[in-house]
Amino acid sequence: MPLQIVIGAQWGDEGKGRVVDLLSERSELVARYNGGDNAGHTVTVGEHIYKLHVIPSGIIHPRTVGVMGSGMVINPQTLVEEMSMLRAAGVTLTPERLWISDAAQLITPAHRLLDRAQDAALGKGKIGTTGRGIGPAYVDKASRRGLRAGEILDEAAFSERVRAHFAEVSRLLVELYHQPALDADQLLPEYLAAAAELRPYIRRIGPLVQAALAQGQTVLAEGAQGTLLDVEQGTYPFVTSSCTTSTGVFSGLGVGVQTVERVVGVTKAFQTRVGSGPFPTELAGEAADFLRGSGANPWDEYGTTTGRPRRVGWRDLVLLRYAHEANAFTELFLTKLDVLSGLKEIPVCVAYERNGKQLATLDFSGDARLLEQCHPVYQSLPGWDADLRACRTWNDLPVAARAYVEFIEKTIGVPVRTISVSPERLAMIQRG
Ligand code: GDP
Ligand code: IMO
Ligand code: MG
């Protein structure tokens, strides 16, 4: 009954989409269990670059079933757009191969407006959200007034509920945030039309996933965002509003814990972040430009969802160890090793200095204010010049690149089983 889990070990954008693409070849179900269309997962197959925001990336393989779990927040309008985009790219999407949990929460245009108004009102302290309405939708869930996907099935009652929700948010927008009132008559028809399209896809997910596992099928859980954006374990308050770590899989899909076979932590060869919040190894200037890229390559560090330039920095092993502790990774998948080619030396953060003391592990729960006080202690590893993009075996890699990988796995105590060297589907090195 194998449940396999793919988790971002950093602040998101680690390359989870390509890892899911690899593992879903041998999976029957591929399931998203958290977040919504704040995610942007890239899968590169030849000339074709798929960018998925809300549908599980594994749907690209024709034999898989894509599952959208109860832990998600789903905007029917962006989901319907993504379904059209995938169909235009030749992906078959039927109710047999896309299942939406009746317990998943719905995002509305009102949530999006509120998200933007609330983040803007924070001024300098803003989170830098993706503006997709994620936070407000999870607030409604926790305060027990959220709209659930199952409600779409009762057309008249759903329309009333959405109208009442629009009226409530409108009051907030006008009174608290001095924004224009919401025009429900304009927004409602399009929203209801998109929601109605989802009707045939809505199911009770838990029993279906449990049955698949009981039959020995492989279920792949596709994490969105990354460990350091987890609402509890992440760099709070500069986080998203869902559980992004491996523990979220169980509540987000409605399955028990006894079935986990593999927890793959995906991590880049360096560190990136979009949005605000502490980033101890962040770089500016030439080194940053080198890691980020100019934007000329599709893999350069500009957000998949928002197009924002990503903040970049050296590999932080204190935070990777922290991520391992939060997720219990059974293996690591290291992406973008190719980007480091050409550096003479590669600094790696092995500890922090805080209040005159050295810390090799975090002694607090990600708290942003405390992390701001941490200064990186670097160890420099030798770099390499060779272009890695054609490497396909461990021995193809230069000695220094192998030493870099070995340094990471020894420090964290988790094997790096796979290394990728370009976005292309097969451009990777698998180690036994
Ligand atoms: P995700 O959100 O974790 O799925 O990651 P994103 O898709 O947002 O960002 C990862 C970016 O890195 C995408 O543009 C991928 O195509 C690209 N990528 C993934 N693996 C590699 C790799 O090994 N080398 C290079 N150069 N790019 C990669
Ligand atoms: P994937 O799945 C990178 C960040 C936002 C912001 C914070 C809160 O592609 O790795 P939100 O809109 O979720 O309320 O924003 O979280 N963020 C991401 N950063 N990758 C993502 O997803 C992200 N999803 C949210 O930039 O800092
Ligand atoms: Mg992404």
Side-chain angles (χ1 to χ4, degrees), residues 103-125:
Q105 295 282 322
L106 296 177
I107 299 180
T108 70
H111 287 133
R112 287 170 77 123
L113 291 169
L114 194 55
D115 186 7
R116 287 166 200 191
Q118 287 177 330
D119 210 31
L122 289 173
K124 272 188 157 181

mmCIF file of all heavy atoms in Angstrom, residues 103-125:
data_model
loop_
_atom_site.group_PDB
_atom_site.id
_atom_site.type_symbol
_atom_site.label_atom_id
_atom_site.label_comp_id
_atom_site.label_asym_id
_atom_site.label_seq_id
_atom_site.Cartn_x
_atom_site.Cartn_y
_atom_site.Cartn_z
ATOM 1 N N ALA A 103 -14.912 18.097 0.154
ATOM 2 C CA ALA A 103 -14.584 18.859 1.368
ATOM 3 C C ALA A 103 -13.512 19.924 1.121
ATOM 4 O O ALA A 103 -13.122 20.637 2.052
ATOM 5 C CB ALA A 103 -14.122 17.904 2.466
ATOM 6 N N ALA A 104 -13.027 20.032 -0.118
ATOM 7 C CA ALA A 104 -12.039 21.097 -0.404
ATOM 8 C C ALA A 104 -12.739 22.448 -0.280
ATOM 9 O O ALA A 104 -13.926 22.576 -0.586
ATOM 10 C CB ALA A 104 -11.480 20.919 -1.806
ATOM 11 N N GLN A 105 -12.005 23.455 0.171
ATOM 12 C CA GLN A 105 -12.574 24.801 0.311
ATOM 13 C C GLN A 105 -12.504 25.525 -1.027
ATOM 14 O O GLN A 105 -11.614 25.267 -1.844
ATOM 15 C CB GLN A 105 -11.782 25.588 1.349
ATOM 16 C CG GLN A 105 -11.879 25.028 2.749
ATOM 17 C CD GLN A 105 -13.192 25.376 3.436
ATOM 18 O OE1 GLN A 105 -13.711 26.476 3.282
ATOM 19 N NE2 GLN A 105 -13.720 24.434 4.194
ATOM 20 N N LEU A 106 -13.438 26.453 -1.222
ATOM 21 C CA LEU A 106 -13.457 27.214 -2.475
ATOM 22 C C LEU A 106 -12.920 28.624 -2.261
ATOM 23 O O LEU A 106 -13.197 29.261 -1.247
ATOM 24 C CB LEU A 106 -14.885 27.290 -3.009
ATOM 25 C CG LEU A 106 -15.504 25.943 -3.390
ATOM 26 C CD1 LEU A 106 -16.945 26.140 -3.835
ATOM 27 C CD2 LEU A 106 -14.693 25.250 -4.499
ATOM 28 N N ILE A 107 -12.154 29.078 -3.237
ATOM 29 C CA ILE A 107 -11.702 30.475 -3.271
ATOM 30 C C ILE A 107 -12.644 31.229 -4.201
ATOM 31 O O ILE A 107 -13.050 30.699 -5.244
ATOM 32 C CB ILE A 107 -10.261 30.574 -3.806
ATOM 33 C CG1 ILE A 107 -9.289 29.815 -2.910
ATOM 34 C CG2 ILE A 107 -9.829 32.029 -3.937
ATOM 35 C CD1 ILE A 107 -7.844 29.870 -3.384
ATOM 36 N N THR A 108 -12.961 32.458 -3.839
ATOM 37 C CA THR A 108 -13.834 33.291 -4.689
ATOM 38 C C THR A 108 -13.069 34.564 -5.083
ATOM 39 O O THR A 108 -12.030 34.877 -4.494
ATOM 40 C CB THR A 108 -15.087 33.726 -3.908
ATOM 41 O OG1 THR A 108 -14.675 34.670 -2.909
ATOM 42 C CG2 THR A 108 -15.807 32.554 -3.273
ATOM 43 N N PRO A 109 -13.623 35.321 -6.038
ATOM 44 C CA PRO A 109 -12.987 36.603 -6.376
ATOM 45 C C PRO A 109 -12.934 37.540 -5.164
ATOM 46 O O PRO A 109 -12.044 38.384 -5.067
ATOM 47 C CB PRO A 109 -13.896 37.192 -7.458
ATOM 48 C CG PRO A 109 -14.811 36.110 -7.893
ATOM 49 C CD PRO A 109 -14.804 35.035 -6.858
ATOM 50 N N ALA A 110 -13.891 37.377 -4.242
ATOM 51 C CA ALA A 110 -13.900 38.221 -3.038
ATOM 52 C C ALA A 110 -12.669 37.914 -2.176
ATOM 53 O O ALA A 110 -12.030 38.821 -1.626
ATOM 54 C CB ALA A 110 -15.181 37.979 -2.255
ATOM 55 N N HIS A 111 -12.316 36.623 -2.070
ATOM 56 C CA HIS A 111 -11.105 36.256 -1.318
ATOM 57 C C HIS A 111 -9.866 36.894 -1.939
ATOM 58 O O HIS A 111 -8.950 37.328 -1.237
ATOM 59 C CB HIS A 111 -10.917 34.734 -1.307
ATOM 60 C CG HIS A 111 -11.875 33.994 -0.421
ATOM 61 N ND1 HIS A 111 -12.550 32.871 -0.841
ATOM 62 C CD2 HIS A 111 -12.260 34.196 0.852
ATOM 63 C CE1 HIS A 111 -13.305 32.416 0.153
ATOM 64 N NE2 HIS A 111 -13.141 33.211 1.190
ATOM 65 N N ARG A 112 -9.833 36.924 -3.253
ATOM 66 C CA ARG A 112 -8.651 37.504 -3.927
ATOM 67 C C ARG A 112 -8.538 38.987 -3.618
ATOM 68 O O ARG A 112 -7.449 39.490 -3.319
ATOM 69 C CB ARG A 112 -8.731 37.272 -5.440
ATOM 70 C CG ARG A 112 -8.453 35.819 -5.817
ATOM 71 C CD ARG A 112 -8.779 35.559 -7.274
ATOM 72 N NE ARG A 112 -7.757 36.087 -8.165
ATOM 73 C CZ ARG A 112 -7.081 35.343 -9.053
ATOM 74 N NH1 ARG A 112 -7.289 34.049 -9.144
ATOM 75 N NH2 ARG A 112 -6.198 35.886 -9.849
ATOM 76 N N LEU A 113 -9.668 39.689 -3.699
ATOM 77 C CA LEU A 113 -9.625 41.134 -3.423
ATOM 78 C C LEU A 113 -9.201 41.382 -1.971
ATOM 79 O O LEU A 113 -8.401 42.278 -1.679
ATOM 80 C CB LEU A 113 -11.000 41.762 -3.686
ATOM 81 C CG LEU A 113 -11.397 41.809 -5.164
ATOM 82 C CD1 LEU A 113 -12.865 42.185 -5.313
ATOM 83 C CD2 LEU A 113 -10.519 42.815 -5.932
ATOM 84 N N LEU A 114 -9.736 40.558 -1.082
ATOM 85 C CA LEU A 114 -9.417 40.727 0.345
ATOM 86 C C LEU A 114 -7.933 40.436 0.607
ATOM 87 O O LEU A 114 -7.268 41.161 1.357
ATOM 88 C CB LEU A 114 -10.305 39.772 1.154
ATOM 89 C CG LEU A 114 -10.404 39.996 2.652
ATOM 90 C CD1 LEU A 114 -10.848 41.426 2.962
ATOM 91 C CD2 LEU A 114 -11.405 39.006 3.274
ATOM 92 N N ASP A 115 -7.419 39.403 -0.018
ATOM 93 C CA ASP A 115 -6.000 39.037 0.122
ATOM 94 C C ASP A 115 -5.120 40.236 -0.248
ATOM 95 O O ASP A 115 -4.222 40.645 0.506
ATOM 96 C CB ASP A 115 -5.728 37.846 -0.817
ATOM 97 C CG ASP A 115 -4.330 37.268 -0.683
ATOM 98 O OD1 ASP A 115 -3.592 37.686 0.226
ATOM 99 O OD2 ASP A 115 -3.979 36.382 -1.495
ATOM 100 N N ARG A 116 -5.427 40.833 -1.394
ATOM 101 C CA ARG A 116 -4.594 41.962 -1.865
ATOM 102 C C ARG A 116 -4.743 43.163 -0.950
ATOM 103 O O ARG A 116 -3.754 43.828 -0.615
ATOM 104 C CB ARG A 116 -4.969 42.322 -3.296
ATOM 105 C CG ARG A 116 -4.446 41.237 -4.244
ATOM 106 C CD ARG A 116 -5.025 41.289 -5.624
ATOM 107 N NE ARG A 116 -4.826 39.970 -6.237
ATOM 108 C CZ ARG A 116 -5.015 39.695 -7.503
ATOM 109 N NH1 ARG A 116 -5.400 40.622 -8.344
ATOM 110 N NH2 ARG A 116 -4.813 38.477 -7.955
ATOM 111 N N ALA A 117 -5.981 43.447 -0.522
ATOM 112 C CA ALA A 117 -6.207 44.613 0.344
ATOM 113 C C ALA A 117 -5.503 44.412 1.687
ATOM 114 O O ALA A 117 -4.868 45.331 2.222
ATOM 115 C CB ALA A 117 -7.705 44.817 0.548
ATOM 116 N N GLN A 118 -5.592 43.203 2.221
ATOM 117 C CA GLN A 118 -4.996 42.958 3.536
ATOM 118 C C GLN A 118 -3.470 43.008 3.474
ATOM 119 O O GLN A 118 -2.819 43.560 4.362
ATOM 120 C CB GLN A 118 -5.444 41.593 4.075
ATOM 121 C CG GLN A 118 -6.895 41.620 4.522
ATOM 122 C CD GLN A 118 -7.417 40.278 5.001
ATOM 123 O OE1 GLN A 118 -6.963 39.224 4.546
ATOM 124 N NE2 GLN A 118 -8.388 40.311 5.896
ATOM 125 N N ASP A 119 -2.896 42.450 2.410
ATOM 126 C CA ASP A 119 -1.429 42.460 2.314
ATOM 127 C C ASP A 119 -0.928 43.892 2.106
ATOM 128 O O ASP A 119 0.049 44.307 2.733
ATOM 129 C CB ASP A 119 -0.952 41.529 1.196
ATOM 130 C CG ASP A 119 0.419 40.935 1.508
ATOM 131 O OD1 ASP A 119 0.720 40.736 2.715
ATOM 132 O OD2 ASP A 119 1.197 40.681 0.577
ATOM 133 N N ALA A 120 -1.647 44.659 1.267
ATOM 134 C CA ALA A 120 -1.236 46.051 1.021
ATOM 135 C C ALA A 120 -1.322 46.857 2.319
ATOM 136 O O ALA A 120 -0.470 47.706 2.599
ATOM 137 C CB ALA A 120 -2.111 46.671 -0.057
ATOM 138 N N ALA A 121 -2.342 46.552 3.145
ATOM 139 C CA ALA A 121 -2.530 47.321 4.382
ATOM 140 C C ALA A 121 -1.392 47.081 5.379
ATOM 141 O O ALA A 121 -1.181 47.880 6.291
ATOM 142 C CB ALA A 121 -3.865 46.949 5.015
ATOM 143 N N LEU A 122 -0.659 45.999 5.189
ATOM 144 C CA LEU A 122 0.470 45.722 6.099
ATOM 145 C C LEU A 122 1.667 46.615 5.788
ATOM 146 O O LEU A 122 2.634 46.665 6.554
ATOM 147 C CB LEU A 122 0.891 44.247 6.000
ATOM 148 C CG LEU A 122 -0.081 43.233 6.597
ATOM 149 C CD1 LEU A 122 0.371 41.816 6.266
ATOM 150 C CD2 LEU A 122 -0.179 43.411 8.116
ATOM 151 N N GLY A 123 1.612 47.312 4.651
ATOM 152 C CA GLY A 123 2.692 48.246 4.291
ATOM 153 C C GLY A 123 4.024 47.534 4.236
ATOM 154 O O GLY A 123 4.145 46.487 3.596
ATOM 155 N N LYS A 124 4.998 48.065 4.957
ATOM 156 C CA LYS A 124 6.353 47.496 4.926
ATOM 157 C C LYS A 124 6.396 46.061 5.441
ATOM 158 O O LYS A 124 7.272 45.293 5.080
ATOM 159 C CB LYS A 124 7.264 48.346 5.816
ATOM 160 C CG LYS A 124 7.899 49.498 5.093
ATOM 161 C CD LYS A 124 8.910 50.124 6.013
ATOM 162 C CE LYS A 124 9.958 50.889 5.243
ATOM 163 N NZ LYS A 124 10.940 51.463 6.148
ATOM 164 N N GLY A 125 5.456 45.735 6.314
ATOM 165 C CA GLY A 125 5.453 44.386 6.904
ATOM 166 C C GLY A 125 4.700 43.374 6.062
ATOM 167 O O GLY A 125 4.379 42.285 6.530
#
